[in-house]
Amino acid sequence: FCLLLNRVHFQRDQNLVTSPLSKSRATLCEILAIRTLREYGDNTLELAFVTTTSWRVYSGADDEMLKRSMEELDIDDVEEHVGNAIEMAIIGRAKRFIKSSACQKVIDSIWRYIQWSL
């Protein structure tokens, strides 16, 4: 989750000077997230747990970041925003992460569960 969250942060860099470096950092974060996810690839339950556990998006952010985020999102308490690795991959358009066999295993399992529930 943290690697994908950092990927989103690096992708949003609009500075002409630092943007190319940030794009490289975003790519590296995605590759590291894929490799980290492979560690859980043998156990579907652990894999699902790792990719779907909700984390606070702004945990550990400084006051300036929280204030700016509250203004941008027009909400009172950004510290309560949560997300998981799959959501961060979707938001950050981490196509390689989503296409990885480990992530696809979880997505397929969720899809089968939804189909079974209907």
Side-chain angles (χ1 to χ4, degrees), residues 28-78:
L28 179 61
C29 285
E30 184 177 9
I31 291 168
L32 290 174
I34 293 167
R35 290 189 179 203
T36 303
L37 195 60
R38 283 186 198 156
E39 295 296 317
Y40 300 96
D42 295 336
N43 187 330
T44 306
L45 184 60
E46 282 185 3
L47 193 59
F49 182 73
V50 167
T51 55
T52 60
T53 297
S54 293
W55 298 93
R56 292 181 182 208
V57 176
Y58 292 96
S59 179
D62 61 5
D63 291 335
E64 180 184 326
M65 173 66 85
L66 292 174
K67 183 179 177 184
R68 187 173 54 188
S69 297
M70 283 190 287
E71 290 171 359
E72 288 176 7
L73 298 173
D74 194 32
I75 56 176
D76 295 331
D77 193 10
V78 294

Side-chain angles (χ1 to χ4, degrees), residues 1-116:
F1 172 78
C2 292
L3 289 165
L4 294 170
L5 182 62
N6 280 317
R7 182 181 191 283
V8 171
H9 172 73
F10 288 132
Q11 280 186 314
R12 291 184 177 172
D13 184 2
Q14 298 297 316
N15 186 324
L16 289 174
V17 176
T18 59
S19 180
L21 178 60
S22 291
K23 299 295 180 207
S24 297
R25 288 176 174 167
T27 301
L28 179 61
C29 285
E30 184 177 9
I31 291 168
L32 290 174
I34 293 167
R35 290 189 179 203
T36 303
L37 195 60
R38 283 186 198 156
E39 295 296 317
Y40 300 96
D42 295 336
N43 187 330
T44 306
L45 184 60
E46 282 185 3
L47 193 59
F49 182 73
V50 167
T51 55
T52 60
T53 297
S54 293
W55 298 93
R56 292 181 182 208
V57 176
Y58 292 96
S59 179
D62 61 5
D63 291 335
E64 180 184 326
M65 173 66 85
L66 292 174
K67 183 179 177 184
R68 187 173 54 188
S69 297
M70 283 190 287
E71 290 171 359
E72 288 176 7
L73 298 173
D74 194 32
I75 56 176
D76 295 331
D77 193 10
V78 294
E79 289 188 51
E80 295 303 316
H81 265 70
V82 295
N84 62 46
I86 293 177
E87 290 172 353
M88 277 299 121
I90 292 168
I91 290 168
R93 296 184 185 113
K95 294 176 185 176
R96 284 178 290 234
F97 182 85
I98 294 169
K99 289 180 184 178
S100 71
S101 60
C103 189
Q104 282 299 306
K105 187 185 282 188
V106 174
I107 292 170
D108 290 342
S109 297
I110 292 170
W111 179 252
R112 274 186 256 134
Y113 177 77
I114 290 171
Q115 293 298 316
W116 179 79

